[in-house]
Amino acid sequence: MLFHSGCAVAASTVAANALGTKPLSRDRQPSNDLQGLIEAHKTAYISFGKAVHEKGSRSRDHIKAGRKEERALLAICTFPAVWEVDRLGKARYLLEIEARCELDLPEHMQALLRSTM
């Protein structure tokens, strides 16, 4: 499904070029809100990796860190990206996550779909 959203991003760029409008430049940054959510997810993801690979860690620690990472990812999925720069930033980041096969819960898809309404 996210593969198709990548196609939609490419299609919107092609459409913008066809209409003579300038596509969004890559150097523009997403909003502070989205950047904060992405940074929170990156931090939670690193913590989860450490909990799993840390010597002597317990499964309870893995579960706790995994849930925190999942909540951080869901926060990005539910983020209502109103501005084009946020839509592109959200799509790019989630495509990176999907490429690692980590955007696989039904909750992720539900949150993404709801965020577009």
Side-chain angles (χ1 to χ4, degrees):
M1 177 170 192
L2 283 179
F3 172 75
H4 297 294
S5 64
C7 294
V9 169
S12 69
T13 303
V14 170
N17 288 335
L19 294 173
T21 58
K22 190 175 182 180
L24 185 66
S25 66
R26 291 184 179 262
D27 60 338
R28 289 195 46 208
Q29 295 296 313
S31 67
N32 289 337
D33 292 338
L34 180 58
Q35 286 181 354
L37 292 174
I38 290 171
E39 289 306 314
H41 178 256
K42 288 178 179 181
T43 300
Y45 185 79
I46 290 168
S47 295
F48 176 58
K50 286 180 181 177
V52 169
H53 294 101
E54 193 172 273
K55 193 173 188 176
S57 66
R58 297 179 237 161
S59 64
R60 177 179 45 180
D61 298 330
H62 305 176
I63 293 168
K64 184 178 176 183
R67 286 185 180 150
K68 185 173 182 178
E69 184 271 336
E70 183 180 316
R71 283 191 304 273
L73 183 55
L74 280 171
I76 295 169
C77 292
T78 60
F79 180 78
V82 176
W83 306 108
E84 184 176 7
V85 69
D86 282 345
R87 287 191 300 269
L88 291 174
K90 179 179 175 177
R92 284 185 185 120
Y93 187 73
L94 291 176
L95 285 169
E96 289 176 23
I97 302 302
E98 194 276 331
R100 297 190 310 239
C101 299
E102 296 175 0
L103 194 63
D104 55 353
L105 297 177
E107 291 86 359
H108 295 144
M109 291 305 118
Q110 291 170 359
L112 279 168
L113 292 171
R114 286 188 179 121
S115 75
T116 63
M117 296 173 25

